[in-house]
Amino acid sequence: MERTISGMVGKGSVNHNTRAFTAKNVDSDRSGANVHFCNEDIKQVYHKLFDEALERYNEKQKRKDRVIDDYYEKIRQGKQEKLFHEVIFQIGNKDDMNAKSEEGLLAKKILTEFMDEFQARNPNLYVFSAHLHMDEETPHLHIDFVPYITGSKRGLDTRVSLKSALVAEGFTGGTRGATEWNQWIAAEKRELAMVMERYGVKWLQKGTHEKHLSVLDFEKQERAKEVAELDSQKQEKTTEVAKLNQAVSTMKQELMTTTIKQVRAEEAVEKAREEGIAVQRDNETLSASNQQLRVENTSLEIKKVELRTDNRHLEQQQWQLRTDNSELEMKQSVLQSENQRLEQEQNKLQEDNEKLEQKQTTLQSDNQALKQMQDKLQKDNAQLEIQQEKLRSSIDQMVQSEKLLQRDVRKYDEEPEWQLPEPGAFASAKSFRDKVALPLVNKLKELVKSLTIQCVRLKEEVLQLRDKVKHLTSDVEFYKGKIRDMSVKTELLQEKADDLERVKRYAGAEQIDTIIGKVKEKELMEHQARQNHRSYGAR
């Protein structure tokens, strides 16, 4: 398979390349297949490339009118250099490498691999925007770059310059046709051809394509067209002069005018002939330059083969170095893992020691709290016993009161004053009722009322005393449970204290004391840091 290669100057429309807007020849349904390699803001690129050099340049200036505020704006408004340049590379055409065909997908792979190596191959051309379009008829690659050089003796030491950037990459201008740009385009085409060969595609060279002519060739072509046009004009003027000679007697004024036109036409023809001769000389020069380039190309191919051989040797050495490096990395990894294991063990021991210290501190505080609670419970128990004793005395008093009440009740059965006497022989029923029975009944009523009230009061007191006894019994049981819990916790604290003593005997008392001292010192420092932080925050 043979295909042509096109390398041409682009318009530099970043919005078109990124598809910020869609042209008429773009199939937006296939825009998803485009490849966007990079897309940086050009102003940020200028800051990244030239800000440091701009600062060094401005520091050296003694006149304010020579200070550059914005290097981007200076280049944009200037006429010596462009802000950036664009180059377009394409393989084949819409007929043999159509984007919708398998050949188009092959072109996509080739151009992608070519672009992956472009920046490394051209270090003085900073690529800030690169896009591979698959949504037009033929796959093609847009590359936008800022050419720059470093170590410049004029202006900024790092500045924009297309010619100097290409010279720095080894492309020195020769004749007018073999400029740095043309030499660089030819070299990039050869690089693209090498990538094509890896995919089984050869470069079909058909010579110069008119649609890709350089500016000089285009001007030469236009001059040739002008020469042909002037020849045609000359023929027309000659015919016109013949006609005017036939009417010379009647049209002297027209003859004079025609003579002047003929003189001007002859001057133009002579000028065109001279330009034609110059064009022919340029063509001869271009042919000689082309022959020289072929010779140089052959020499470069030989050097390229030698470089490939050297590259293979370097790759073998690099492979050996990688093998050695891998072995060293494996050894280093083993040592690191062993070191990490030892550090983990050390950290674990420190954590265990800290936990033991924390447990000991917790045990001591819990033991102290339990002792305080035990003292409190003992005091509460003593108070409960006092209250219980009071309740017992109250119950005894109640029992005594009950005995007294029973004795008083028996008094009502036995004492004469509470007995209804027998009526006399001469007492009437009414008199007996009014003088004896009713007073006794009233007295009994008052007594019953008083006894009833006392019984109600006694019942209320009994109920209250029962509630108190119940609550006191519950409290006694609760505190007894607390005392049992305290005993269990005390035993646990004792076991933990014994465990701490065992650890000290196993690890060494001095080492444990050292660790405890360090932990206490660290806690003290953290406490002081927190106090300092609080005092600082309170200001």
Side-chain angles (χ1 to χ4, degrees), residues 465-518:
L465 289 173
R466 285 178 180 175
D467 290 337
K468 285 184 179 181
V469 170
K470 186 177 180 180
H471 287 303
L472 289 172
T473 304
S474 177
D475 292 340
V476 168
E477 293 298 327
F478 172 76
Y479 286 118
K480 285 181 179 178
K482 285 284 186 180
I483 292 170
R484 286 195 295 272
D485 292 339
M486 287 173 59
S487 300
V488 174
K489 288 183 179 180
T490 303
E491 291 177 359
L492 292 175
L493 289 173
Q494 187 61 41
E495 288 180 1
K496 292 180 180 180
D498 294 339
D499 291 339
L500 181 60
E501 291 298 325
R502 293 188 185 99
V503 171
K504 284 185 177 181
R505 288 196 299 271
Y506 177 78
E510 294 181 357
Q511 186 176 358
I512 297 298
D513 293 338
T514 303
I515 294 171
I516 292 172
K518 290 182 179 180

Side-chain angles (χ1 to χ4, degrees), residues 16 19 21-34 98-100 133-138 140:
H16 168 74
R19 294 297 186 252
F21 68 87
T22 304
K24 294 181 180 179
N25 62 330
V26 173
D27 184 359
S28 57
D29 293 336
R30 291 189 286 116
S31 296
N34 294 343
N98 194 280
K100 300 178 183 178
H133 289 166
M134 297 294 293
D135 52 5
E136 299 181 37
E137 289 294 331
T138 310
H140 56 278

Side-chain angles (χ1 to χ4, degrees), residues 1 91 97 105-114 116-117 192-202:
M1 182 187 298
I91 302 172
M97 297 295 276
L105 296 176
L106 178 60
K108 180 180 181 181
K109 292 180 181 179
I110 295 171
L111 290 172
T112 299
E113 187 170 333
F114 171 76
D116 291 339
E117 301 170 353
L192 180 55
M194 291 176 60
V195 180
M196 290 166 57
E197 288 179 1
R198 293 200 286 268
Y199 288 89
V201 183
K202 294 184 179 180

Side-chain angles (χ1 to χ4, degrees), residues 6-7 87-90 111 114 118 140-141 143 185 188 192:
S6 302
V87 63
I88 304 173
F89 290 101
Q90 177 178 310
L111 290 172
F114 171 76
F118 183 87
H140 56 278
L141 178 63
I143 304 175
I185 288 291
E188 288 300 314
L192 180 55

Side-chain angles (χ1 to χ4, degrees), residues 441-479:
V441 169
N442 291 331
K443 187 177 180 181
L444 288 173
K445 284 181 181 180
E446 293 295 329
L447 180 61
V448 169
K449 288 181 182 178
S450 175
L451 290 174
T452 302
I453 292 170
Q454 288 182 4
C455 287
V456 171
R457 288 178 180 173
L458 286 173
K459 284 183 179 180
E460 289 179 353
E461 290 180 358
V462 168
L463 290 174
Q464 290 177 358
L465 289 173
R466 285 178 180 175
D467 290 337
K468 285 184 179 181
V469 170
K470 186 177 180 180
H471 287 303
L472 289 172
T473 304
S474 177
D475 292 340
V476 168
E477 293 298 327
F478 172 76
Y479 286 118

